[in-house]
Amino acid sequence: GAGVSQSPSNKVTEKGKDVELRCDPISGHTALYWYRQSLGQGLEFLIYFQGNSAPDKSGLPSDRFSAERTGGSVSTLTIQRTQQEDSAVYLCASSLVWTGNTEAFFGQGTRLTVV
Amino acid sequence: AQSVTQLGSHVSVSEGALVLLRCNYSSSVPPYLFWYVQYPNQGLQLLLKYTSAATLVKGINGFEAEFKKSETSFHLTKPSAHMSDAAEYFCAVSGTNAGKSTFGDGTTLTVKP
C-alpha cells in the first residue's frame, strides 16, 4: 500500500491476556518506529528498528513488551499479560532512512483497551 | 538529551484569526524540529520541518514556523485560521536519529465560526 498500515484498528482485551499489534511500513523504508499515545499526552517512544541493526529497545516500559521485525518489513508489537495502564493508542511509523532530518510517516494507530 | 515543551494544551481562535502554537525545545546537539498534525482517528502527518537550511520554514496548508536559536523556540503560525485546521498539533525534536524524536504533549486547536 501507499502508506503505513496498522492492524487491528481497535482491540479490546481482558486484563492478563496477550495481544499482538501489527505494522506494515511503507515499502522500501528501512527504519520503523513504535510509539504509544496515552489520552491527553504526547507520543512516548517505545522501540525502533533500522535496517538489519539490533533494535533500540530503550523506550519499552517493561519486559512485558517486545517487538520484532521480520524480513526488514512487517513488525509486530507484543504485550504480554496486559494491564489496564497499557490502554493507549499504539502508533507505528516508518522512514526511508534513520537520520534525524528524515520525515516519519505514521499509521492510523491501534487503539488498545484493556478491561 | 532532548525535550519539547508546548505551551498551552488547548488553543481556541476564530475563523480568519491568526494561529500561534508555541513550542520550545531543549537539545544537546543542533536539533532537527518538526510540526505534525493529527486529525481525529488518524495518524500524524508532517506539516513542516526545520533541518538547518533556512530559519523560516513553510509547510502545507499555509502553516509556517520560525526557528529561533536564541529563544530555543519553533513556534507554528498561520495568518488566517480555517475551520479545517481544527486538530491536534505536535512539535517534535530529534538529533541524529529520527526514531529518537521526542514529542511534545500536543496542542488541540479549536476554530470557532
Side-chain angles (χ1 to χ4, degrees), chain A residues 33 37 45 48 56 58 100-101, chain B residues 38 43 49 94 96-97 99-100:
Chain A
Y33 322 99
Q37 184 177 21
F45 167 78
Y48 89 88
D56 181 338
S58 60
N101 60 352
Chain B
Q38 185 179 32
K49 64 180 181 181
S94 69
T96 57
N97 188 312
K100 285 286 193 178

Side-chain angles (χ1 to χ4, degrees), chain B:
Chain B
Q2 54 197 28
S3 65
V4 172
T5 301
Q6 291 185 239
L7 300 176
S9 58
H10 290 85
V11 170
S12 180
V13 300
S14 297
E15 191 173 19
L18 171 72
V19 175
L20 171 60
L21 305 182
R22 300 178 186 273
C23 171
N24 288 88
Y25 71 91
S26 172
S27 178
S28 57
V29 297
Y32 300 119
L33 293 157
F34 305 79
W35 275 100
Y36 287 86
V37 60
Q38 185 179 32
Y39 298 103
N41 300 314
Q42 294 189 26
L44 278 69
Q45 176 185 0
L46 182 71
L47 273 178
L48 50 79
K49 64 180 181 181
Y50 166 75
T51 59
S52 76
T55 57
L56 182 62
V57 182
K58 294 186 183 298
I60 62 172
N61 301 336
F63 284 93
E64 63 181 36
E66 185 172 8
F67 171 69
K68 292 187 177 181
K69 184 178 179 180
S70 61
E71 299 177 7
T72 60
S73 69
F74 190 58
H75 301 332
L76 182 70
T77 60
K78 182 174 180 178
S80 177
H82 191 273
M83 297 296 290
S84 61
D85 295 327
E88 189 160 20
Y89 292 80
F90 291 92
C91 181
V93 61
S94 69
T96 57
N97 188 312
K100 285 286 193 178
S101 291
T102 300
F103 285 77
D105 288 342
T107 297
T108 300
L109 175 66
T110 301
V111 182
K112 299 175 293 184

Side-chain angles (χ1 to χ4, degrees), chain A:
Chain A
V4 177
S5 177
Q6 292 187 246
S7 61
S9 55
N10 283 284
K11 176 71 175 179
V12 180
T13 189
E14 293 181 351
K15 178 181 175 181
K17 300 283 189 181
D18 297 352
V19 295
E20 286 188 350
L21 312 180
R22 177 188 169 102
C23 173
D24 283 273
I26 293 173
S27 178
H29 279 195
T30 58
L32 185 147
Y33 322 99
W34 284 97
Y35 286 87
R36 179 168 69 176
Q37 184 177 21
S38 300
L39 186 63
Q41 298 185 21
L43 275 68
E44 175 188 7
F45 167 78
L46 297 177
I47 186 172
Y48 89 88
F49 300 86
Q50 55 172 55
N52 296 319
S53 301
D56 181 338
K57 305 179 181 180
S58 60
L60 295 178
S62 78
D63 59 7
R64 296 186 294 106
F65 288 73
S66 63
E68 63 177 17
R69 188 179 185 190
T70 55
S73 181
V74 172
S75 177
T76 302
L77 177 68
T78 301
I79 308 174
Q80 295 178 311
R81 306 181 301 282
T82 52
Q83 303 295 312
Q84 288 186 332
E85 59 263 29
D86 299 335
S87 296
V89 176
Y90 289 82
L91 291 169
C92 175
S94 70
S95 62
L96 188 60
V97 293
W98 52 87
T99 54
N101 60 352
T102 304
E103 174 186 358
F105 293 82
F106 283 81
Q108 294 188 355
T110 293
R111 182 176 298 279
L112 175 65
T113 303
V114 181
V115 297

